[in-house]
Amino acid sequence: MNPRALDLSGHVRLPGLINAHDHLEFNLFPKLGRGSYRNAAEWARDIHHPDRSPIREHLRVPKPVRLWWGALKNLLSGVTTVCHHNPYEPEVFESDFPVRIVRRMAWAHSLAFEADLADRFRHAPRSWPFVVHCGEGVDASARREVQTLDAEGALDSRTAIVHAVGLTPSGVDLMRRRGASVIWCPTSNLGMLGRTVSRTVLRSDLPVALATDSALSAPVDLLDELAVARRFVPAARLFHMVTSVPARILRLSRRTLADDWIAVRSNAQSREEALFDGSVALVVVAGRIRLISPELAEQLPKSERRRFQILHVENRQPVLVDADVRRLRRAAAKHLGNDLRLAGKRIFA
């Protein structure tokens, strides 16, 4: 059935949301760390113990299974496109994956962990964005990182720096001159560093997209992140920070995104109000229904309803998703037990 033929009375149609930064395979993990750190490298050294619990058990879950759960986290919050900040996995992402993954992009983890960062930047296609963690800290090294990135020749209009907590007024001016952008993950910042980007950054004219990061540092989905970000930014601007702004930063095709849209159950008078006050009832990716509420699903032919399975996550309405939820649950529970959490929320049976 063509999703545009559905009767969406009582719903507001919105463009598909874009999560500009996630590490999909880490969303079944619990939040790790022991409080505020000076920078992300310090946090990473503290938590990186793959031979210890709980990381040991989580890494035993096959990566494709973990990637699918990361996709479902995003789908539940109306996300149709994810910028996955890890290697592109064609055997997973090109095999009926439920959300769109940005493929035409270049990336490096960070200055601290990528000795070949400048080479990656130089060899990347000039039409692709370049995404890198930068300024993820509150100390002097984090404040200097954007200047270091520039000195290495890796800061221009293609560059999107993730986090930017250490960005100073002079760093903002440098980014403005270079035409660079910011990807903002407030929950991750507040949990790891005790603060997020400055008002100077948010009040600047730099393009800023909102994103979740993974459950390792932020057990949230994009709807949770929007609620946190609303403490800092008006709702009208936040709407663009999860739609048009990340589309520009990530250089996504407008023609492609036209086939990605969502419907939110709401009687709100504006799209912004609907996004904040409604519940996601329909997610369409590439013209195909990937999530639908049980009420809307009654309009589908029985033959089409068979491909959906129920997914109920804590603090979210039960929905039907185009995924083998039972298989994914069994594959994860084999190593983690039945008390599964997706970005911090219990997955109900």
Side-chain angles (χ1 to χ4, degrees):
M1 180 177 180
N2 186 337
R4 297 180 188 275
L6 290 169
D7 179 2
L8 295 178
S9 302
H11 296 74
V12 178
R13 180 171 159 168
L14 306 173
L17 307 186
I18 300 169
N19 186 354
H21 181 71
D22 201 339
H23 305 273
L24 288 173
E25 69 261 46
F26 298 129
N27 282 297
L28 289 174
F29 281 67
K31 182 177 182 291
L32 298 178
R34 297 177 291 108
S36 296
Y37 297 84
R38 291 174 300 172
N39 55 60
E42 186 178 87
W43 170 81
R45 286 191 292 269
D46 189 31
I47 71 158
H48 185 66
H49 300 288
D51 56 332
R52 300 181 193 171
S53 184
I55 296 177
R56 178 184 60 223
E57 293 82 4
H58 280 268
L59 291 177
R60 289 174 180 165
V61 178
K63 184 187 281 190
V65 172
R66 291 187 279 128
L67 290 168
W68 266 83
W69 278 114
L72 293 177
K73 174 197 96 166
N74 281 282
L75 204 63
L76 284 167
S77 57
V79 171
T80 56
T81 299
V82 178
C83 184
H84 173 60
H85 200 155
N86 267 347
Y88 187 85
E89 307 272 354
E91 67 282 3
V92 179
F93 299 152
E94 296 173 16
S95 180
D96 202 34
F97 206 61
V99 295
R100 193 183 300 278
I101 303 300
V102 180
R103 182 169 189 174
R104 295 172 60 85
M105 61 169 281
W107 64 279
H109 183 276
S110 60
L111 286 160
F113 295 112
E114 303 281 8
D116 63 342
L117 185 150
D119 286 337
R120 289 193 185 198
F121 183 85
R122 280 194 295 270
H123 291 107
R126 294 197 61 82
S127 61
W128 291 12
F130 183 80
V131 182
V132 59
H133 296 89
C134 180
E136 192 178 3
V138 297
D139 59 356
S141 65
R143 292 193 292 273
R144 290 193 300 266
E145 278 195 338
V146 72
Q147 284 83 5
T148 303
L149 204 62
D150 187 56
E152 295 203 6
L155 188 71
D156 68 12
S157 61
R158 295 173 287 164
T159 310
I161 71 168
V162 183
H163 298 301
V165 178
L167 202 59
T168 63
S170 62
V172 170
D173 289 340
L174 174 60
M175 288 191 61
R176 183 184 295 113
R177 294 197 303 272
R178 299 292 184 259
S181 306
V182 171
I183 296 173
W184 177 37
C185 307
T187 300
S188 179
N189 303 156
L190 293 166
M192 183 190 301
L193 306 169
R195 70 178 75 165
T196 189
V197 298
S198 68
R199 299 282 182 181
T200 300
V201 174
L202 293 176
R203 292 172 179 168
S204 72
D205 57 358
L206 294 177
V208 179
L210 186 70
T212 62
D213 215 336
S214 78
L216 286 175
S217 61
V220 294
D221 63 23
L222 197 59
L223 296 180
D224 298 320
E225 197 72 281
L226 281 162
V228 172
R230 202 170 183 180
R231 293 157 43 189
F232 304 91
V233 175
R237 185 180 175 200
L238 284 172
F239 180 84
H240 294 289
M241 291 171 74
V242 294
T243 54
S244 57
V245 175
R248 290 198 303 272
I249 290 173
L250 298 171
R251 303 187 177 195
L252 303 176
S253 163
R254 186 177 301 178
R255 180 181 299 176
T256 299
L257 295 181
D259 291 329
D260 299 347
W261 55 279
I262 68 175
V264 175
R265 184 168 184 79
S266 173
N267 292 313
Q269 299 302 305
S270 71
R271 298 185 303 174
E272 293 83 4
E273 290 173 342
L275 180 59
F276 281 96
D277 301 329
S279 59
V280 175
L282 181 71
V283 179
V284 178
V285 182
R288 174 176 167 179
I289 298 172
R290 304 308 305 241
L291 175 150
I292 190 167
S293 69
E295 294 76 20
L296 287 179
E298 292 178 3
Q299 300 181 44
L300 300 177
K302 287 184 179 180
S303 58
E304 188 169 349
R305 287 205 300 268
R306 292 193 192 104
R307 65 184 170 90
F308 294 93
Q309 292 185 19
I310 192 78
L311 176 59
H312 187 191
V313 171
E314 186 178 6
N315 296 328
R316 295 283 178 259
Q317 292 295 318
V319 291
L320 297 167
V321 294
D322 186 6
D324 192 346
V325 176
R326 291 186 290 270
R327 181 188 65 81
L328 291 169
R329 184 181 177 88
R330 287 194 302 269
K334 178 180 178 181
H335 302 283
L336 304 178
N338 289 321
D339 186 20
L340 297 176
R341 308 275 171 149
L342 182 59
K345 297 179 177 65
R346 179 174 292 131
I347 304 169
F348 297 119

